[in-house]
Amino acid sequence: MAARGRFAFTVAGVVVATLLLSFVLGLYRGWSERLTTYVDETDTDLWVVQKGVESFFSPSVVQARYVENIRAIDGVEASSGLSAIPMLRLRSGEDAYDVYLMGFDPAETGAAGGGLGGPLRIVRGSGAPKPGEIVIDQILARITGVDIGDSLTVSYLNFQVVGISSGGNLGVTLLCFVARSEVTRLLGDYPVVSHILVRTAPGRESEVATAIRAVSPILEVFPRSEFADSTQRVLRRSILPILSVVVVLVFIVGAIVVGLTMYTTTIEKQREFGVLKALGTPGQRLVSIVLQQSVICCLVGFAIGQLGLLATVWLTQQVVPQFVTLIKPGDLVTVFVLVTVMGMAGSWLPVQRVVRVDPLVVFKA
Amino acid sequence: MNEQPLLRLVGVTKVFGEGASLVHVLDNVDLEVTGGIVTAIMGPSGAGKTTLLTIAGGLQRPTSGHVEVMGERIEGLPQGALATLRRTRIGFVFQSANLLEALSARENVEYMVDLAGDRRGLGKERATELLRMVGLEKRMDARPKQLSGGEQQRVCVARALANRARLILADEPTANLDSQRAAEIMGLLRSLSRDMDCGILLVTHDVRAREQADRAFWLEDGHLSPR
């Protein structure tokens, strides 16, 4: 029973490590990919931002008149200013949430509500808010209980909900869409936008990008996919060090759990290892016995950990709907390799112990 | 008889401690073990019987003197070579069987067949044959905890034969058994020495064991004398 208990404890340690490693990786994937969903899926060819800006989430201020200048360039089919303000306080009754307010020009909205700077998809209601109206993401609607026709406040402005959209859950923030004039009002009527979205004639992106750079030296132009990639890179730069620390800590704790339980097992089985040595079992075979046990614990722990991961992700999303995780097969392989290495690292001490077992122990009654 | 001894100890001395606490556990001991003979070493507790056995089995090195197993001097061999020697040429029978708890009786014996380097995949057959030989044909799949002390010791004897060793070193093989089981084990060892021409060196406190041995020695104060 003691042996089973130890096995269960070791496996539990690996389960926790697997769960945490997978969860952290899933969170990282979810953030880094979901955060750029909006950039990726917006129906635009080029993103124009202030020079030096590398990500969708970085502050960018561009004069609004450039929207018209760009629209006049040959090869531009549509050009629209987007005024995005992060971390604005949305209040609904007693509750308050931080949202990303997107001011866009509904007149430039493309077909099916997926326009230049507007919501990606409309679940219900309208995707073209007029002044005093707002479109909120369905996750926000679920969290707040707010629906079409309800009123809410963003910063000091009051809005009535006219539409529920999807695709605006960026994990760390939720997108809300209003008419750009509302955001301009929030900014004290300064004629600026944060981004300019440009749709070009087919195959003319590069030519138009060059022409836009000629409009003003403070403008930076990104093809859509490049802007998404650049945004991801910036996020990775900021998130990865934190996640790396978490991964290293989980790895160390997992290795310690595996190591200590394996070490205890080794000590309790010292006599049996002594017997094996006395019988002439080669040292490398003894080491492989310890490593095999460790690998078995890791395999079982990994399998249970993955089931636990599914349950945890499901449960988390029930409690925190905006929570974003993305589990990729490649990441599972990474976790498996990490857990196996962790098991091996945890076996180091037990292996040292086994190698030093004195076979004469078997001659003691 | 000109047969080469299976085991030969020449002038073996083993000293523990230093200075005032220096103890000569074995002092210039000579001993030969040949096939077909059961040799018993007796003596008081702490006399060095087990030390002598472990030196013979390459588990300890003598302070001086030399040890030959089937003509090969072993006292200077590296640990790896000594391990090879033990798994291929020597069989051990321990006082408390020392079977691997997680394995069945057959698997315990099979492990040793495999360890000895049998690459023919006949480990299971050989283990079955040996367990049959020691009278455990009906207990082959039992775990050590399901076996009586006598049965465990029989498995231990079968394991000692698994590598086809002719030199069997037995450490108090009857100490934990009642008189009937002890007599059975001694009878088994004795018949093995005769039927398989094994040389058996056993250390024991048990005077009944001495009666079954072909020769006996008394070890005291580091000296070995015929008894």
Side-chain angles (χ1 to χ4, degrees):
Chain A
M1 282 308 285
R4 281 184 193 169
R6 268 194 313 276
F7 178 75
F9 188 71
T10 309
V11 168
V14 178
V15 167
V16 172
T18 300
L19 195 60
L20 284 174
L21 287 171
S22 305
F23 199 70
V24 166
L25 269 176
L27 204 57
Y28 164 66
R29 288 285 177 216
W31 276 353
S32 62
E33 298 200 10
R34 197 68 73 83
L35 277 170
T36 56
T37 303
Y38 186 76
V39 177
D40 260 335
E41 296 184 15
T42 296
D43 186 19
T44 186
D45 297 309
L46 300 173
W47 281 80
V48 182
V49 292
Q50 185 184 341
K51 190 91 176 170
V53 168
E54 293 177 69
S55 110
F56 174 69
F57 297 100
S58 307
S60 166
V61 180
V62 174
Q63 289 185 37
R65 64 184 168 87
Y66 290 138
V67 175
E68 298 307 322
N69 297 147
I70 290 170
R71 189 175 288 144
I73 293 172
D74 184 33
V76 172
E77 288 189 346
S79 164
S80 183
L82 174 66
S83 292
I85 307 184
M87 300 299 281
L88 279 182
R89 206 73 173 143
L90 178 148
R91 292 176 200 281
S92 164
E94 296 295 309
D95 301 324
Y97 306 89
D98 291 321
V99 296
Y100 211 97
L101 194 64
M102 308 279 280
F104 73 110
D105 186 356
E108 290 288 351
T109 304
L116 290 177
L120 290 181
R121 289 171 289 276
I122 290 297
V123 178
R124 278 181 292 126
S126 165
K130 298 185 185 76
E133 295 178 345
I134 190 168
V135 177
I136 63 170
D137 192 84
Q138 60 181 353
I139 301 290
L140 186 61
R142 203 168 122 197
I143 298 169
T144 58
V146 169
D147 207 344
I148 291 173
D150 292 341
S151 296
L152 47 76
T153 305
V154 178
S155 188
Y156 58 85
L157 300 179
N158 295 317
F159 294 99
Q160 186 181 29
V161 178
V162 293
I164 307 292
S165 65
S166 67
N169 174 20
L170 307 189
V172 290
T173 191
L174 290 155
L175 302 184
C176 293
F177 299 87
V178 296
R180 182 152 64 86
S181 58
E182 296 291 72
V183 176
T184 306
R185 201 145 64 94
L186 267 178
L187 295 172
D189 289 325
Y190 285 103
V192 293
V193 293
S194 55
H195 308 78
I196 299 173
L197 309 183
V198 181
R199 198 183 297 148
T200 68
R204 300 188 67 180
E205 292 91 344
S206 176
E207 173 196 335
V208 169
T210 307
I212 292 172
R213 287 189 191 101
V215 168
S216 167
I218 70 142
L219 295 181
E220 184 69 75
V221 186
F222 287 95
R224 186 179 55 185
S225 62
E226 270 186 34
F227 194 49
D229 290 346
S230 177
T231 300
Q232 277 204 8
R233 272 198 300 277
V234 171
L235 291 169
R236 285 200 186 112
R237 244 180 5 231
S238 55
I239 294 174
L240 261 187
I242 300 165
L243 291 184
S244 302
V245 170
V246 175
V247 167
V248 168
L249 287 177
V250 169
F251 184 89
I252 290 171
V253 170
I256 288 173
V257 169
V258 172
L260 286 180
T261 47
M262 292 291 291
Y263 187 71
T264 311
T265 305
T266 308
I267 288 176
E268 288 190 10
K269 294 281 178 188
Q270 188 164 243
R271 193 176 179 91
E272 290 203 350
F273 281 112
V275 172
L276 295 178
K277 264 192 160 177
L279 294 176
T281 305
Q284 64 266 32
R285 189 154 171 175
L286 295 174
V287 169
S288 80
I289 289 171
V290 176
L291 293 181
Q292 272 174 27
Q293 288 176 350
S294 174
V295 166
I296 289 169
C297 288
C298 288
L299 284 174
V300 175
F302 177 79
I304 297 173
Q306 291 311 312
L307 293 176
L309 176 68
L310 293 177
T312 307
V313 167
W314 180 83
L315 197 64
T316 309
Q317 283 174 345
Q318 299 309 303
V319 180
V320 190
Q322 68 270 41
F323 201 81
V324 175
T325 48
L326 184 62
I327 311 297
K328 289 188 154 189
D331 291 339
L332 295 186
V333 173
T334 303
V335 171
F336 179 73
V337 171
L338 275 175
V339 166
T340 307
V341 172
M342 184 187 77
M344 296 291 157
S347 303
W348 186 82
L349 206 57
V351 161
Q352 298 306 309
R353 180 79 194 191
V354 164
V355 167
R356 293 200 187 99
V357 166
D358 185 354
L360 294 180
V361 72
V362 301
F363 291 93
K364 291 169 185 153
Chain B
M1 236 162 109
N2 290 328
E3 190 198 356
Q4 185 186 54
L6 298 172
L7 171 70
R8 193 158 169 251
L9 273 60
V10 180
V12 166
T13 297
K14 183 68 180 177
V15 175
F16 289 115
E18 54 187 337
S21 60
L22 194 78
V23 179
H24 276 76
V25 177
L26 300 175
D27 191 2
N28 206 24
V29 168
D30 295 328
L31 178 70
E32 284 190 2
V33 174
T34 51
I37 300 288
V38 177
T39 304
I41 308 286
M42 305 185 72
S45 290
K49 302 186 295 295
T50 299
T51 300
L52 187 149
L53 198 78
T54 55
I55 287 175
L59 287 159
Q60 282 198 86
R61 295 182 197 279
T63 307
S64 63
H66 74 258
V67 182
E68 288 174 21
V69 174
M70 291 168 206
E72 183 186 2
R73 285 184 62 163
I74 68 164
E75 73 276 4
L77 290 178
Q79 288 300 334
L82 288 173
T84 305
L85 176 89
R86 290 197 296 275
R87 68 174 172 266
T88 55
R89 295 200 221 166
I90 301 174
F92 284 96
V93 179
F94 304 109
Q95 179 177 343
S96 50
N98 283 321
L99 301 176
L100 303 176
E101 280 179 25
L103 305 182
S104 69
R106 177 163 31 208
E107 287 163 343
N108 264 280
V109 181
E110 199 177 335
Y111 174 82
M112 195 63 211
V113 178
D114 176 41
L115 189 63
D118 192 320
R119 296 278 177 268
R120 293 168 296 173
L122 299 176
K124 193 171 180 179
E125 281 178 35
R126 170 107 178 116
T128 304
E129 176 195 327
L130 288 168
L131 286 170
R132 202 170 279 142
M133 189 193 299
V134 297
L136 285 177
E137 58 271 30
K138 290 180 181 165
R139 306 288 283 149
M140 292 190 192
D141 296 321
R143 305 268 162 186
K145 279 186 178 166
Q146 298 168 309
L147 296 171
S148 68
E151 288 173 327
Q152 287 187 31
Q153 208 54 290
R154 283 168 181 269
V155 177
C156 192
V157 171
R159 181 174 66 183
L161 298 169
N163 59 358
R164 300 177 194 274
R166 284 188 60 218
L167 175 61
I168 309 290
L169 304 178
D171 180 41
E172 304 271 12
T174 59
N176 294 342
L177 305 178
D178 60 40
S179 57
Q180 188 188 342
R181 305 285 167 242
E184 284 172 11
I185 290 298
M186 280 312 300
L188 180 61
L189 290 174
R190 192 174 166 76
S191 64
L192 288 176
S193 74
R194 299 267 159 84
D195 300 344
M196 302 176 77
D197 198 29
C198 291
I200 297 177
L201 176 64
L202 68 92
V203 300
T204 183
H205 273 106
D206 190 346
V207 288
R208 295 161 303 182
R210 188 266 166 267
E211 287 161 11
Q212 296 276 343
D214 298 299
R215 333 183 273 164
F217 293 89
W218 184 257
L219 181 65
E220 192 163 10
D221 298 329
H223 299 289
L224 197 62
S225 50
R227 179 97 190 238

